[in-house]
């Protein structure tokens, strides 16, 4: 597979008479199919197509390529299973809420698998597929949604930040982390095991936050090795993308002085190829890139949301035809690259994963109310220690051992 | 007379304000078709149009900053912040602009902006969805800060806040939104906005609360009554300005006071209320004003929020400690 | 003069092989002369030049055009005098600080004179020239810098906001005000006395603030009638423009979906023409525009700043050759459009203005410490009234009448 | 032993911290070539390079947000906020990220970020340049907040704050930057960071202050001594956590306390300190703890700031009122 650098959009030409007063003439109405700039390598029907700038698998043998695509299929299928299972757990009252990724599997697996071990990813609250790629036990994702913790993996070990709920905040953290990589000399050395990049995930809605735009500015200013990976799933809760931007989001990068590219976020091959090129660009010291993964939130915003209030079911039907998993399955089976046994094995794995989640969720350790006091500071303060002691005494006064929780 | 929840009371109040004054606008994230994540603005866009009920881009500073401009143009924007923890991106616009423009302009420019914030915990939510940021706003001169605690107050207070020519931070106890119903008589005469209210008479101790803790404190008082203790409960309602006249009167009678809120105790509203009561009622106090509130930690994971939040027992514990002096 | 709509930059084409990995190939190094896109109608030497999209005076008779340019000369000269005088007043201890506009007169007068009465301008703290165009007595500007008030004009009456010191905050106010205009139906009616626009002034440094970028987003989303007028004076205190953006700032607009244009900010004719077109676009309901006025801060950031610590004097020398006033003067005199008597009359006016400022500054009424309590709220609170009363008593206890100020 | 101003003490402390630990970075607006508008970082970029002394784009949220990321990568960023009033655009990153990441991560991720804020008034500046935002940060669990009051503390405290594994809001009284000089002995053993200090012994009343008000309070105590009143003065130094042990001891001795700060009285640090003293020393108090501070208005135009700010006379007035009980 070629490591071709990302195309840089040309500067807008000011000459000539082609300028009109109506911006839509230029940027066009927001194309429902992603627009002519969409990078796609696998059609919804499961056909491989070429793109002038990006390709998948050209650096792999046919076998390796097929194995990789089967891997994507497995990743996506298992990720979807995590999602379905967690949604069910929420319905059964085991989780307080769940943010579904349904429909965004390709965007997440494609980009997640393009990461090297030493790269670092900063997620929002919906990157269950990326977490999977980072080797995080999906059970660890449940704690936050069950309310037993605010996140339960070690970011430094997993090279995966904690879920961040304040929209856009993590894009600045990613940029700062990337600035740290620069200072550590881990960019542009040419050593593939050393050079590292950071990826910041965010949504279409998040693109409106000041923080995200400041992250663009800092990244451009310092040429930081960060990929801004926006999953444009068309909705920010009830608000359609048009409320945030009337032109394709990837254009945003242009105005900040770095490249932007729109990829079919339901096409795992294209997402992988584009993310890989953007990450390599970052690792090589060529600075930030904005990748807009054009996709669709097929589920509700979260399990507490009711999308029937604000969007038409036809829209969902159209997007179902572009399902990211179906197209890979079609490609693999139609071309004899995966047999029934393989598909069956993945299904069994999914079953096991589901069981793991169901059983594990119940068993997730309940938090202790006293732990809360110990985690505020690295160096505990006397006044908080005193508050803890006072609360422990109070709990004791109810004749219930403090460590086991509520007196009531 | 209809029975309404707090959510419905607020919704009806907003609707009334919009009917009464065409300059009233509602804006925020998802306030339009969705009617807000809590449905407080339900149906308003349908009836008043997209120009008056404005779904905004996902940017809180933008919401408040543009509201400032609309207020300068003569509008009365009512901004919804989706959850307490998301007000901070707008903090600069609130404390440096909304709060200061009247002062900066020597009173020439009015800032009739209402910032509605669903606040407090107890709904089993994830991080940033259960905060109590009121003290930070009450500490900021130029803002007025109120908290409603029940459906009837919700109906009236939101209208009064909108009618006020000063910016009002309007706190709504989110866990009460769809809880208890109350009789709403829209023809009644409402109590003035910036006043507190004695909601239960008593003689042994004065218990102060606002927002979600009013219900808890009333329950505590009830429980204490069972043990023969007579607790007076005051719903502060307004946090800035504070209306402590009735509180001083009560404390001079009872000699003891406890302040309760969900916010962190350290530098919470309780600190100010305690300091003022002590200044004003020094010789009447038989025990120090005690405070009960959230611990000085970030809001915990929701499975233990009920322990973290002050509840009936924690309030009674403080009451007992006060009475033991 | 033609009301030609602003050129809209073409969407970046993604086809072809002209894309390279190095963004500087596309956007070029930041051109010291403003770059090829700079709109200029009057050269530093005072020669009129043509521009394909913008022109000055084509809708005026020759006499009217000359009168208008003489007016610009007068405005700029008097504005500079305000600046010099205020700087001197600061040196003499009469002002605590002063933010000089030296070198930015054309950007401010050009845009200020393009405003109609019903338009509304939101300034930073340096728009003394725009204030002049809005009919504000320059004495009223001094209060803030002298410390007797935070601003002393009525924004609604002058259609000019108060100076805003928190960088970028006013761009959102401007956008909101513009949204108000839309709701009042004062946009796109075709009635020249009714249709109104808003202009938000800000600096190159400010372009990095989240608020400014959010203002772009809101303005684009609602198609608000606002012109974002950025005076790129190359410096944000000690930081050069390159720290904020590696590419020309006007490109920023492109990524948000509205036009951007770079104008020679030291050329009052071009600034006027571009601002006029952008404002008309807004009034017509065609939405926001970003105008980057490429200029130079010839003075210090403020009177307390010491630019010798961070920039070379050669830079200043280069820019002195582009002085905005000199080129208009050269044009007027060389073409016989202004005689000695006119120039002399302007000088006398400047002298008088200087005297007005010197005398008026001393006479600016001192604030009363008690007024402070009365201006916090439209509806005074009992507790603040009580604080006021307590403080008045306290002051009285020193045996000095409260209204006349400090007891010491 | 050299005589240094607060500015020089801080500068030397920063330099020492950068020499001692290559992970220490300085960042902010104009901190490089210019050395900061107050010259606190003067010469650092020249000696440590642009990678360690980073001029940032003009965006405070960006400064703090990227500092978070650098801290996650093992750096210890020291961020300069140019003036107190410009910290608010970064407020969200400070209270929702910097303050919470250690907690959120169950202690796995440390946040050794120092946020330096020149604070307080008295320098004749325009709006937003003279604020005292400390209470808002002290109210936020997860942050530690300290204020230095003199050159020697400046030198040591900044190093200690940088060495601390928790985020520290570091408040510097800007009007003292270039005022008095003090003897700095860099070989001395510094007092621990999170401790208060009795800076003047006395027996009639305990006067509490921090930052710029320490000097004022010492002068007040001196003046009071002339009238035969013996005032004990405590420099709080740390605002979160508070170190009130020595204060309680003092108040149990004197029976009276006054807290002074420039910040608005309403919900200022004084409220918390007063509430705690009252809780802990109830039976020792002969008068309520009184507070003196900025009025509950926005900061006024600078020509009257000296009247607005609590000064020697206003402090003495409070002292007299306390003694009159
Ligand atoms: C600062 C902030 N404001 C509001 C919210 C509430 N909120 C949670 S998700 C969401 C929509 C996010 O949309 P988008 O960025 O497109 O991400 P998606 O949920 O579609 O993945 C909103 C408004 C929040 N979490 N943070
Ligand atoms: C939010 C905020 N941060 C910092 C400052 C301090 N400050 C005042 S002016 C300035 C530089 C502004 O540069 P620019 O936007 O280019 O405007 P110019 O001064 O050049 O006109 C800074 C950093 C401020 N006023 N507001
Ligand atoms: Mg989305
Ligand atoms: Mg500038």
């Amino acid at each position: 597979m070629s490591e071709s650098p990302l195309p840089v959009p040309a500067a807008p030409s000011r000459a000539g008479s082609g300028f009109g007063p109506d911006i839509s003439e230029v940027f066009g109405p927001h194309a429902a199919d992603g627009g002519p700039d969409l990078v796609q390598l696998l059609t919804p029907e499961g056909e491989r197509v070429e793109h002038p700038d990006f390709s998948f698998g050209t650096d792999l043998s046919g076998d390796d390529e097929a194995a990789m695509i089967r891997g994507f299929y497995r990743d996506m299928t298992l990720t979807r299973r995590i999602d379905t299972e967690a949604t069910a757990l929420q319905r059964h009252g085991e989780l307080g809420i769940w943010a579904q990724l349904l429909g965004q599997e390709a965007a997440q697996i494609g980009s997640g698998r393009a990461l090297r071990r030493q790269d670092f990813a900063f997620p929002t609250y919906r990157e269950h597929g990326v977490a999977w790629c980072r080797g995080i036990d999906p059970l660890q994702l449940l704690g936050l949604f069950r309310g037993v913790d605010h996140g339960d993996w070690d970011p430094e070990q997993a090279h995966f930040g904690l879920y961040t709920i304040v929209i856009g905040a993590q894009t600045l953290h990613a940029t700062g982390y990337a600035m740290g990589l620069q200072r550590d000399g881990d960019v542009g050395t040419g050593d593939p095991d050393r050079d590292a990049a950071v990826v910041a995930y965010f949504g279409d809605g998040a693109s409106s936050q000041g923080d995200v735009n400041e992250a663009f500015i800092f990244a451009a200013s310092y040429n930081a090795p960060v990929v801004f990976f926006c999953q444009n799933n068309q909705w920010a809760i009830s608000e359609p993308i048009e409320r945030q931007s009337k032109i394709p989001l990837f254009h945003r990068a242009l105005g900040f002085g770095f490249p932007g590219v729109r990829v079919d976020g339901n096409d795992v091959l294209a997402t992988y190829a584009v993310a890989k090129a953007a990450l390599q660009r970052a690792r090589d010291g060529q600075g930030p890139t904005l990748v807009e993964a054009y996709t669709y939130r097929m589920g509700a915003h979260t399990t507490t949301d009711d999308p029937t209030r604000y969007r038409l079911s036809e829209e969902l039907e159209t997007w179902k035809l572009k399902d990211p998993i179906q197209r890979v399955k079609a490609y693999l089976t139609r071309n004899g690259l995966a047999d029934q046994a393989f598909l069956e094995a993945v299904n069994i794995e999914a079953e096991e994963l589901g069981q793991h989640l169901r059983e594990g969720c119940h068993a997730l350790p309940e938090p202790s109310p006293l732990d809360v006091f110990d985690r505020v500071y690295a160096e505990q303060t006397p006044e908080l220690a005193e508050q803890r002691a006072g609360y422990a005494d109070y709990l004791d006064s109810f004749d219930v051992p403090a460590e086991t929780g509520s007196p009531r | 007379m209809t029975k309404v929840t707090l959510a419905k009371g607020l919704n009806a109040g907003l609707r009334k304000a919009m009917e009464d004054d065409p300059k009233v606008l509602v804006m925020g994230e998802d306030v339009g078709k969705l009617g807000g994540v809590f449905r407080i603005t339900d149906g308003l866009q349908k009836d008043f149009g997209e120009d008056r009920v404005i779904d905004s881009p996902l940017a809180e500073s933008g919401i408040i900053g543009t509201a400032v401009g609309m207020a300068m143009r003569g509008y009365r924007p009512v901004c919804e912040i989706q959850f307490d923890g998301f007000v901070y991106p707008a903090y600069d616009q609130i404390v440096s602009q909304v709060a200061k423009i009247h002062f900066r302009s020597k009173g020439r420019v009015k800032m009739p902006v209402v910032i509605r914030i669903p606040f407090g915990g107890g709904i089993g939510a994830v991080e940033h969805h259960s905060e109590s940021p009121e003290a930070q706003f009450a500490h900021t001169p130029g803002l007025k800060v109120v908290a409603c605690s029940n459906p009837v107050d919700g109906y009236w207070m939101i209208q009064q806040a909108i009618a006020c020519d000063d910016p009002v931070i309007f706190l709504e106890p989110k866990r009460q939104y769809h809880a208890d119903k109350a009789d709403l008589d829209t023809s009644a005469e409402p109590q003035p906005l910036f006043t507190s209210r004695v909601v239960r008479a008593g003689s042994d101790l004065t218990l102060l609360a606002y927002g979600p803790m009013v219900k808890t404190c009333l329950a505590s008082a009830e429980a204490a009554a069972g043990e023969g203790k007579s607790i007076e409960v005051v719903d502060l309602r307004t946090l800035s300005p504070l209306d402590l006249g009735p509180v001083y009167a009560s404390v001079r009678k009872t000699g003891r006071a406890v302040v309760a809120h969900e916010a962190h105790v350290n530098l919470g509203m309780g600190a100010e209320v305690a300091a003022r009561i002590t200044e004003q009622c020094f010789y009447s106090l038989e025990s120090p004003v005690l405070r009960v509130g959230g611990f000085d930690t970030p809001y915990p994971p929701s499975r233990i929020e009920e322990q973290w939040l002050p509840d009936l027992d924690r309030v009674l514990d403080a009451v007992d400690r006060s009475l033991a002096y």
Side-chain angles (χ1 to χ4, degrees), chain A residues 238-239 309 366 387 408, chain B residues 30 42 56 296 303 311 313:
Chain A
S238 74
E239 299 192 6
R309 292 180 70 102
E366 287 295 314
Q387 238 176 69
R408 274 163 301 276
Chain B
D30 307 294
D42 194 26
S56 74
D296 293 318
R303 301 281 279 206
D311 60 3
D313 288 323

Side-chain angles (χ1 to χ4, degrees), chain A residues 45-327:
Chain A
E45 295 72 32
E47 309 285 349
R48 296 279 292 263
V49 288
E50 298 292 312
H51 187 277
D53 298 313
F54 299 96
S55 58
F56 177 80
T58 47
D59 56 348
L60 298 173
S61 73
D63 276 1
D64 286 353
E65 193 198 85
M68 198 156 179
I69 300 177
R70 279 195 301 271
F72 290 156
Y73 172 79
R74 173 179 172 271
D75 287 337
M76 291 197 291
T77 306
L78 297 183
T79 297
R80 183 167 289 185
R81 184 51 178 257
I82 295 168
D83 197 53
T84 327
E85 202 65 48
T87 305
L89 283 165
Q90 195 277 339
R91 301 271 177 254
H92 287 104
E94 296 296 333
L95 302 182
I97 193 172
W98 177 250
Q100 296 162 271
L101 62 58
L102 191 68
Q104 301 179 216
E105 295 86 354
Q108 296 193 13
I109 298 300
S111 58
R113 284 298 175 208
L115 292 168
R116 297 219 181 113
R117 190 198 44 75
Q118 71 268 29
D119 297 334
F120 201 108
F122 284 84
T124 72
Y125 41 79
R126 208 187 285 285
E127 271 66 67
H128 319 314
V130 184
W132 171 257
C133 295
R134 294 269 85 182
I136 290 179
D137 181 340
L139 254 189
Q140 285 180 291
L141 302 176
L142 299 187
L144 166 71
F145 297 97
R146 185 170 169 84
V148 303
D149 58 42
H150 292 324
D152 190 33
W153 54 92
D154 184 337
E156 196 45 44
Q157 196 197 302
H159 274 214
F160 186 65
L162 291 178
Y163 276 5
T164 301
I165 289 168
V166 178
I167 298 292
Q170 76 284 359
T171 58
L172 281 168
H173 307 164
T175 304
Y177 196 95
M179 290 168 67
L181 289 179
Q182 291 177 305
R183 279 158 185 76
D184 289 342
D186 290 345
V187 182
T189 69
D191 177 350
D193 293 326
R194 175 165 188 184
D195 289 342
V198 180
V199 56
Y201 288 90
F202 62 106
D204 46 302
S207 70
S208 293
Q209 281 287 359
D211 272 11
V212 174
N213 293 278
E214 292 189 9
F216 293 166
I217 287 163
F218 276 65
S221 186
Y222 301 115
N223 208 37
V226 55
V227 175
F228 295 107
F229 194 92
C230 177
Q231 287 170 79
N232 175 0
N233 64 8
Q234 315 295 325
W235 292 94
I237 308 186
S238 74
E239 299 192 6
I241 172 67
E242 289 74 19
R243 176 48 71 225
Q244 324 290 340
S245 181
K246 297 227 169 107
I247 64 164
L249 272 178
F250 76 96
H251 284 296
R252 183 77 59 85
L254 187 71
F256 290 96
F258 56 90
V261 59
R262 173 180 273 190
V263 62
D264 182 345
N266 285 17
D267 171 353
V268 70
L269 304 190
T271 309
Y272 176 83
V274 168
K276 185 170 170 179
L279 287 163
Q280 193 55 42
R281 214 179 153 266
R283 292 185 205 109
D284 288 346
Q286 292 179 63
T289 309
L290 170 61
V291 176
E292 177 192 0
Y294 196 81
T295 179
Y296 189 74
R297 196 194 78 206
M298 292 174 71
H301 171 68
T302 64
T303 44
T304 59
D305 179 39
D306 173 11
T308 63
R309 292 180 70 102
Y310 54 82
R311 70 184 189 188
L312 299 171
S313 55
E314 290 92 81
E315 190 181 279
L316 180 57
E317 295 311 315
T318 316
W319 278 91
K320 274 191 183 155
L321 303 174
K322 305 186 191 182
D323 188 287
I325 302 185
Q326 284 316 312
R327 68 174 82 178

Side-chain angles (χ1 to χ4, degrees), chain B residues 41-312:
Chain B
T41 57
D42 194 26
L44 298 181
Q45 191 180 65
K46 193 167 140 283
D47 294 339
F48 296 100
E50 295 192 13
D51 270 359
R52 292 190 63 197
V53 181
I54 309 169
D55 268 333
S56 74
L58 208 174
E60 287 77 9
S61 191
I63 295 170
I64 305 301
T66 54
V68 166
M70 287 192 270
M72 288 184 67
R73 184 68 195 177
Y75 286 90
R76 307 182 85 86
V78 184
C79 304
E80 172 170 308
I81 296 292
Q82 200 159 77
F83 283 89
D84 33 59
F86 308 138
V87 72
Y88 301 119
Y91 200 72
D92 178 57
Q93 283 286 347
I94 296 174
V95 304
S96 292
Q97 304 300 330
V98 173
K100 288 187 171 168
I101 285 178
H102 185 272
F103 187 78
R104 184 183 303 153
S105 70
K106 302 186 177 176
R108 291 186 177 112
V109 182
K110 301 207 175 7
M111 249 324 111
V113 175
V114 174
I115 303 177
R116 294 182 38 240
I117 310 180
F119 85 127
I123 64 159
V126 296
E127 213 187 342
H128 311 289
H129 288 70
S130 308
E131 317 237 319
S132 299
E134 60 271 21
Q136 303 163 76
F137 296 113
H139 181 52
T140 303
L143 302 176
K144 292 179 173 175
V145 184
V146 303
C148 59
S149 67
N150 63 71
V152 177
D153 271 2
Y155 175 78
W156 292 114
M157 288 171 75
I158 189 66
Q159 293 181 64
Q160 293 167 320
I162 293 170
C164 177
D165 272 342
D166 292 305
V168 178
I169 306 287
F170 193 89
L171 298 159
E172 305 169 0
K174 67 170 86 76
R175 75 162 125 144
Q176 305 288 350
Y177 273 147
H178 305 284
D180 316 318
K181 289 191 178 179
D183 284 325
L184 174 63
D185 172 4
T186 58
S187 68
E189 185 65 33
Q191 182 177 335
L193 181 58
F194 299 108
T195 55
S196 60
R197 182 196 293 143
V198 176
V199 289
R200 186 186 210 278
S203 53
D204 295 338
L205 183 145
T206 310
L207 187 52
L208 310 163
Y210 55 89
M213 286 302 293
V214 173
K215 184 176 174 183
T216 309
C217 285
L218 282 171
S220 303
E222 199 59 46
E227 300 170 21
K229 299 164 195 158
S230 166
I231 313 285
E232 182 143 310
V233 181
V234 181
D235 181 350
L236 291 174
R237 295 173 81 250
T238 173
L239 307 183
S240 182
L242 279 162
D243 176 37
L244 295 187
V247 173
Y248 300 149
S250 175
V251 173
R252 286 193 188 110
K253 178 176 73 179
T254 63
R256 298 170 205 275
V258 169
V259 201
H261 48 61
E262 290 193 7
H264 315 297
V265 170
N266 185 33
L267 275 157
M269 289 302 307
E272 180 64 31
V273 171
R276 289 204 207 174
I277 292 176
T278 311
E279 283 166 26
Q280 297 298 323
C281 312
F282 188 65
Y283 291 121
S284 310
L285 282 177
E286 305 196 32
S287 69
V289 181
L290 296 184
R291 299 174 288 164
V292 50
F295 297 110
D296 293 318
T297 75
Y299 201 87
S302 62
R303 301 281 279 206
I304 43 175
E305 69 182 334
E306 295 301 344
Q307 279 118 293
W308 189 88
L309 289 169
D311 60 3
L312 185 144

